[in-house]
Amino acid sequence: MLSDITLGQYFPIESVVHRMDARFKIIITMLFLVMLFWGQRWTTLLVGLFFTVLATLCSKIPFKMIWKSIKPLLPILLFTTILNLLMIDGGDVYWQWKFLKITEEGVITSAFMVSRICLLIAGTSLLTYTTSPIVLTDAIEALLSPLKKLKMPVHELAMMMTIALRFIPTLIEETNKIIAAQKARGADLESGSLKQRIKALVPILIPLFVSAFRRATDLALAMECRCYHGGEGRTRLRQLQSGMRDYIALAITLLLFAVVIAANALL
Amino acid sequence: MDSLISVQDVRFSYTTDDGGEQEVLQGISLEICRGEMIAVLGHNGSGKSTLAKLLNAVLLPNAGQVVVDGIPTTDDDRLLALRQKVGMVFQNPDNQIIATIVEEDVAFGLENMGVDPVEMRERVDEALKAVKMYAYRRHAPHQLSGGQKQRIAIAGIIAMRPDCIVLDEPTAMLDPQGRKEVMKTIKRLNRDYGITIVLITHEMEEAAQCERVVVIDHGTIKLDDTPAHVFSHVQEMKALGLDVPQVTELADMLRQAGYDLPCDLITEDACVDAIERLLRGGTANADS
């Protein structure tokens, strides 16, 4: 059960998008998000769809994977649709029951909203599909590094993320071991009321926490022994490198953004 | 020989939970020479791990001093230089790997030292080859076996080009295969790279593979000699709660039963030879 967790949903294949500089990918994704929310016209969605399809094709990520990332959010999408359908008033009335009614405006808005959210998920999941979590962490650190001047602990945050990523598989393995050990001692995790089941988790969580703290102490010691003294004067083995493809991708994104702004103003 | 680490009349005590003090090391003096492979033996609570932690300034002595290549461990300004000279490998391989990819982890120490990325790449590859883990450089640590993880931890230290590696029971959590791998790696590093090895252990078979064995009990050094000499004190070792290698014990029992065997047998081969010689000799005696 626990081993199914795929972290960051990284989809490791070779493609132009995978080879892109993660910093650029983050910036482009940000621009894409702003663009989706900026545009109030249908052209925005067309441009967004064009961008998503283009990026997906370049990344060689199967469209099935994109659908897979949207699927878990279907209930939220459904909720948004119903809310928009019933709440927004204007234009022809298609259906009415007491105070509830579905209007032309409502249909249009809810369709718009749903498409927008779908594009949003598709675009952002492309980022995590094509970038390994560790590279993503590096890129975030690099992008936030100007904040170091404001005394933001950027390096420390990135280090924490790296360590968390490193220890997730270890702790999952440990949890499985503890579950097995508690089951062997007669713990019942699968039956009983919700309250009983939550209670049954306590003998699993406590050993897990104790061991996590012990690991943390050990790790801190090991890090110190390897000359760790914070981010100051630190170099990196993996260098983030930007190239022509990154600038081209950024240029395309900016161009699409300009189209959206123009469409907003002119139409 | 050229002394690398000098431990001078060191005392160390922990504060216990009830506020009292427990002296773990009671005046230890030890010279560790460059290129030596030395085992520190002792049962649990003998103070051997504490001694290890004093060697690279993780702990500081209450009295006496530890000097590494001219740097006293109390010198705060040269702490990083000292830790680069004396690397440390711990018991649990999982809790000392920091990065999510093998080569990244090996690079961790170098990143901290601010080594140039190009040179770093060379040193990481070299270190991975030295522990024979180069083929696994892109793997995630959790995909590796315990022995492999421990070798990665060792590679992370070698990449920093230390003079000495202190290993605190590096094989205690490993399976027999992993133990063999790690011991082979340690021995090769000592032989081929001339790195001084301080192996904290309670495995007699591992201690027997070193050049020198220091036996610690209740915070004092009881024996400090070659493994052959140390293990010849079978009764004394037993009194300290320690074992001797199985072959040494066998030879000792045979000796007590009246057979004439040397008392410095620590390897199986030597023991087999000695018994064979004895049997041949015995047969010859019976014939005459």
Side-chain angles (χ1 to χ4, degrees):
Chain A
M1 158 192 86
L2 284 168
S3 53
D4 295 341
I5 300 173
T6 51
L7 204 100
Q9 300 179 300
Y10 181 50
F11 196 77
I13 46 170
E14 265 296 307
S15 83
V16 190
V17 185
H18 283 77
R19 279 198 303 273
M20 266 177 70
D21 186 334
R23 289 173 296 183
F24 278 78
K25 279 194 267 190
I26 294 176
I27 293 171
I28 289 170
T29 312
M30 295 283 194
L31 279 173
F32 174 71
L33 295 184
V34 175
M35 183 182 89
L36 278 181
F37 281 95
W38 191 300
Q40 297 300 325
R41 315 265 169 195
W42 284 94
T43 42
T44 313
L45 295 183
L46 276 179
V47 171
L49 185 69
F50 173 73
F51 175 90
T52 315
V53 171
L54 184 74
T56 313
L57 287 176
C58 289
S59 69
K60 296 185 188 156
I61 300 281
F63 281 97
K64 206 175 67 199
M65 292 296 292
I66 304 286
W67 167 241
K68 240 177 140 178
S69 62
I70 296 177
K71 214 164 70 178
L73 290 158
L74 279 179
I76 295 174
L77 286 175
L78 202 68
F79 182 72
T80 326
T81 315
I82 292 169
L83 215 64
N84 275 311
L85 269 180
L86 299 175
M87 292 298 164
I88 289 167
D89 200 358
D92 298 341
V93 176
Y94 295 140
W95 176 83
Q96 190 158 24
W97 179 73
K98 294 201 177 139
F99 63 95
L100 294 173
K101 58 182 173 183
I102 293 175
T103 63
E104 191 189 357
E105 265 315 272
V107 173
I108 292 173
T109 316
S110 51
F112 188 84
M113 290 298 277
V114 168
S115 319
R116 183 191 261 171
I117 296 174
C118 284
L119 286 174
L120 189 136
I121 300 164
T124 44
S125 58
L126 267 182
L127 175 68
T128 51
Y129 279 146
T130 60
T131 320
S132 78
I134 195 80
V135 175
L136 207 56
T137 313
D138 275 5
I140 293 171
E141 182 178 1
L143 286 175
L144 293 181
S145 61
L147 293 178
K148 275 182 196 160
K149 293 214 170 67
L150 300 173
K151 300 237 186 288
M152 277 268 287
V154 177
H155 164 77
E156 285 74 7
L157 284 173
M159 182 52 88
M160 275 160 60
M161 269 171 77
T162 309
I163 292 173
L165 286 170
R166 150 77 184 84
F167 274 92
I168 285 169
T170 312
L171 290 177
I172 288 175
E173 200 181 301
E174 178 134 49
T175 314
N176 282 332
K177 264 188 214 159
I178 296 171
I179 289 176
Q182 297 292 23
K183 273 186 182 164
R185 286 163 180 76
D188 183 9
L189 302 170
E190 266 113 36
S191 61
S193 68
L194 188 65
K195 201 180 156 195
Q196 278 171 324
R197 280 198 218 181
I198 292 172
K199 262 193 168 162
L201 280 179
V202 174
I204 288 162
L205 290 179
I206 290 176
L208 189 64
F209 268 88
V210 170
S211 126
F213 278 115
R214 196 170 297 145
R215 280 181 197 281
T217 324
D218 280 6
L219 189 72
L221 184 62
M223 284 171 77
E224 245 182 83
C225 284
R226 282 161 80 183
C227 296
Y228 184 70
H229 57 285
E232 208 180 315
R234 210 161 181 269
T235 48
R236 302 306 304 268
L237 173 68
R238 195 181 33 232
Q239 300 289 311
L240 294 165
Q241 267 171 347
S242 51
M244 210 50 199
R245 67 173 90 87
D246 301 301
Y247 293 102
I248 293 172
L250 186 62
I252 294 173
T253 316
L254 286 172
L255 195 71
L256 292 176
F257 205 132
V259 171
V260 168
I261 295 173
N264 246 7
L266 298 176
L267 295 174
Chain B
M1 253 203 289
D2 185 9
S3 169
L4 178 65
I5 302 176
S6 157
V7 180
Q8 296 154 11
D9 196 27
V10 159
R11 287 170 183 276
F12 186 84
S13 43
Y14 284 110
T15 338
T16 49
D17 290 337
D18 48 21
E21 287 217 338
Q22 200 194 345
E23 197 158 54
V24 206
L25 296 181
Q26 307 174 339
I28 293 232
S29 293
L30 187 65
E31 290 290 325
I32 298 168
C33 297
R34 228 174 258 281
E36 252 189 322
M37 179 154 173
I38 165 168
V40 178
L41 267 180
H43 62 80
N44 291 335
S46 59
K48 59 187 194 303
S49 278
T50 309
L51 176 64
K53 288 186 179 128
L54 285 163
L55 298 181
N56 72 341
V58 172
L59 297 176
L60 295 175
N62 296 118
Q65 66 167 353
V66 180
V67 181
V68 177
D69 202 14
I71 309 175
T73 53
T74 42
D75 187 347
D76 247 359
D77 297 332
R78 285 190 283 176
L79 184 66
L80 293 180
L82 184 125
R83 291 204 169 137
Q84 180 265 315
K85 281 179 195 294
V86 182
M88 209 159 170
V89 175
F90 298 91
Q91 193 179 56
N92 189 333
D94 266 324
N95 298 356
Q96 47 187 325
I97 294 179
I98 294 115
T100 44
I101 300 165
V102 164
E103 59 176 12
E104 290 273 321
D105 186 72
V106 176
F108 181 76
L110 300 176
E111 291 179 336
N112 293 332
M113 285 158 62
V115 174
D116 175 73
V118 179
E119 194 196 334
M120 198 188 296
R121 166 56 58 193
E122 280 169 24
R123 280 166 75 167
V124 166
D125 289 352
E126 194 185 298
L128 280 168
K129 282 172 189 158
V131 298
K132 299 212 171 14
M133 285 297 288
Y134 186 66
Y136 295 89
R137 64 192 181 282
R138 303 257 179 215
H139 279 56
H142 64 94
Q143 297 171 312
L144 306 176
S145 73
Q148 289 174 325
K149 279 187 235 180
Q150 205 59 295
R151 274 147 71 199
I152 293 303
I154 295 172
I157 303 294
I158 310 172
M160 294 165 76
R161 304 223 168 115
D163 295 316
C164 173
I165 306 182
V166 180
L167 302 106
D168 191 355
E169 300 195 36
T171 62
M173 297 182 74
L174 306 181
D175 54 13
Q177 177 61 33
R179 283 174 189 217
K180 242 184 250 167
E181 285 172 15
V182 169
M183 277 312 288
K184 240 170 101 180
T185 308
I186 297 172
K187 283 203 292 195
R188 198 176 52 241
L189 291 175
N190 177 256
R191 195 183 59 226
D192 298 351
Y193 296 77
I195 298 172
T196 311
I197 302 285
V198 179
L199 178 67
I200 313 286
T201 184
H202 56 231
E203 288 290 324
M204 305 307 140
E205 267 72 18
E206 287 174 7
Q209 296 174 44
C210 296
E211 297 161 357
R212 179 176 161 198
V213 177
V214 173
V215 179
I216 292 192
D217 184 62
H218 288 99
T220 52
I221 294 182
K222 294 286 175 200
L223 293 164
D224 179 357
D225 213 327
T226 60
H229 278 119
V230 166
F231 291 127
S232 64
H233 298 95
V234 179
Q235 297 315 319
E236 200 173 330
M237 292 292 278
K238 296 229 156 159
L240 295 175
L242 292 167
D243 264 329
V244 293
Q246 279 180 332
V247 286
T248 317
E249 191 164 11
L250 174 69
D252 187 59
M253 285 158 82
L254 287 171
R255 206 161 39 242
Q256 283 177 11
Y259 293 96
D260 178 30
L261 277 169
C263 53
D264 58 353
L265 295 172
I266 52 168
T267 64
E268 275 175 40
D269 290 347
C271 188
V272 168
D273 284 351
I275 294 176
E276 194 185 347
R277 243 178 291 128
L278 186 75
L279 287 175
R280 288 248 165 90
T283 320
N285 282 341
D287 278 349
S288 60

